[in-house]
Amino acid sequence: MAAIIEVLEERGTGRPAVNYRLRDWLISRQRYWGTPIPIVHCASCGEVPVPLDQLPVTLPPVEGLDPKPQGTSPLGGATDWVATACPRCGGPALRDTDTMDTFVDSSWYYLRYTNPQDDTAPFDPDLVREWLPVDQYVGGVTHAILHLLYSRFFTKVLFDMGLVDFTEPFTRLLNQGMVVMDGSAMSKSRGNLVRLSDELAVHGVDAVRLTMVFAGPPEDDVDWAEVSPSGSKRFLARAWRLSGDVASEPGVDPTAGDLGLRKATHHALHDAATAVESFRFNVAVARAMELVNATRKAIDSGPGAADPAVREAAEAVAIMLSLVAPYTAEDMWSRLGHEPTVALAGWPAVDPALLVEETVTCVIQVAGKVRDRIDVPPGIGEEDLRALAMASPGLVKALEGRAVRTVIVRAPKLVNVVPA
């Protein structure tokens, strides 16, 4: 392509150009639901803007209005609303019966969030300068393409008007996946439609939300045929039962509790916090599940329900689940003897000393297949790890006296032996 353009330029018969696929987009729609266009049509004055003291123009009541197509916008049937006086000459005039497309509103709503109670201006420039631009934008691909485009247009216009001091409205973008069924987008015509209301009625909102979050990274699609909301419901029930089994009082000193469970709790909190910050919400849920299992084991066959570490773990589970299953978490928090709401509890502080691992499990492989596992110190050297691995019973049995060609050591977690 570059060579062809070069030849055309030499001949004087062509030159390079950028062809944008973007086309003009209408601002108006012939629909009832929308923002009325603040223009009055006067036979004498033409198109006259509605004065500021008469804004906003509100929609007429929908009762008695026939929205069926009649060759005009649905608002054209609201004759009492359409007929008005010209703001300029006072003569008879007609309101514009089109409404603005929804993107006109959705392209700048983030500015309004800074002070939604202000009824004197679209937004407060001082508050916008303090809070914006938006740090993180999350949206589906099909939604974000045009919405992001229009939002950028609006922001750049507002910048040129001196109302904002930035030209890009969003700092970071995360495109979330879609919920599909059997590998395809849900559709009545395909017969693969799953009604959210039915799923909520059967499993509850916490279980459905947990299922979607746990299915994978947020940027991946979720195939509803491959997930288990009933499994999520059972897990939440197991977590909820922990809050009723705790036998110690609120405020008990956790440092007197079982060390092993305390380490599991603080590892889970640390890993979940890191996962949330990097948008790996499924990993955060997995850590909560592991902690529920460890706490259940401690209650049933360990130090018991009265151990302070059990309370610390159950409270940590409630706080972790509050991110994705707030109803379950709130009930757990109350059953644990705390005042509402768990959302105000804050993330528990992690003790770095409890994150230090005394031993690490090293996987021993023969030609890539796992043959044994041994516990070793985290700081073990390659030579010492090689010697321990070569003497492990699983490796000796797998080699069956064969010579060794290569030993690959990745201390402290892996030793891979390749036979001759």
Side-chain angles (χ1 to χ4, degrees), residues 106-107 109 137 143-152 170:
S106 64
S107 296
Y109 67 91
Y137 180 104
H143 162 79
I145 293 173
L146 288 179
H147 179 258
L148 286 176
L149 188 66
Y150 297 140
S151 295
R152 296 180 70 201
F170 311 114

Side-chain angles (χ1 to χ4, degrees), residues 166-205:
F166 51 87
T167 58
E168 293 292 346
F170 311 114
T171 304
R172 292 179 298 180
L173 168 67
L174 174 63
N175 278 329
Q176 65 189 27
M178 297 176 60
V179 181
V180 300
M181 185 67 174
D182 294 321
S184 302
M186 293 186 190
S187 168
K188 288 184 178 179
S189 61
R190 292 193 183 100
N192 66 343
L193 185 65
V194 177
R195 294 188 181 279
L196 176 61
S197 57
D198 294 343
E199 296 297 300
L200 294 175
V202 174
H203 306 292
V205 63

Side-chain angles (χ1 to χ4, degrees), residues 76-134:
T79 54
D80 292 342
W81 179 84
V82 173
T84 186
C86 174
R88 186 171 297 165
C89 69
L94 300 175
R95 295 190 186 278
D96 199 304
T97 57
D98 283 359
T99 55
M100 292 188 231
D101 200 340
T102 52
F103 80 82
V104 176
D105 291 336
S106 64
S107 296
W108 64 276
Y109 67 91
Y110 45 90
L111 300 166
R112 182 68 179 167
Y113 279 150
T114 57
N115 189 5
Q117 287 76 34
D118 188 355
D119 58 1
T120 63
F123 57 85
D124 186 330
D126 291 334
L127 289 175
V128 166
R129 277 189 288 271
E130 178 182 352
W131 285 99
L132 297 176
V134 176

Side-chain angles (χ1 to χ4, degrees), residues 238 242 245 257-262 264-265 290-311 313-314:
R238 292 187 69 232
L242 294 179
D245 291 342
D258 180 74
L259 182 60
L261 181 57
R262 295 206 69 219
T265 298
E290 293 169 358
L291 183 56
V292 167
N293 292 337
T295 310
R296 183 79 266 164
K297 183 177 180 181
I299 293 174
D300 295 341
S301 59
D307 190 284
V310 170
R311 167 169 285 277

Side-chain angles (χ1 to χ4, degrees), residues 29 56 73 112 130 152 226 228 265 287:
R29 288 288 184 268
S73 172
R112 182 68 179 167
E130 178 182 352
R152 296 180 70 201
E226 299 176 357
S228 175
T265 298
R287 296 298 173 267

Side-chain angles (χ1 to χ4, degrees), residues 184-243:
S184 302
M186 293 186 190
S187 168
K188 288 184 178 179
S189 61
R190 292 193 183 100
N192 66 343
L193 185 65
V194 177
R195 294 188 181 279
L196 176 61
S197 57
D198 294 343
E199 296 297 300
L200 294 175
V202 174
H203 306 292
V205 63
D206 275 0
V208 172
R209 185 187 292 110
L210 182 72
T211 300
M212 296 177 64
V213 171
F214 186 55
E219 62 269 20
D220 292 352
D221 289 345
V222 177
D223 195 324
W224 203 251
E226 299 176 357
V227 298
S228 175
S230 59
S232 297
K233 186 176 181 179
R234 288 193 298 272
F235 161 71
L236 290 175
R238 292 187 69 232
W240 178 83
R241 284 194 294 270
L242 294 179
S243 61

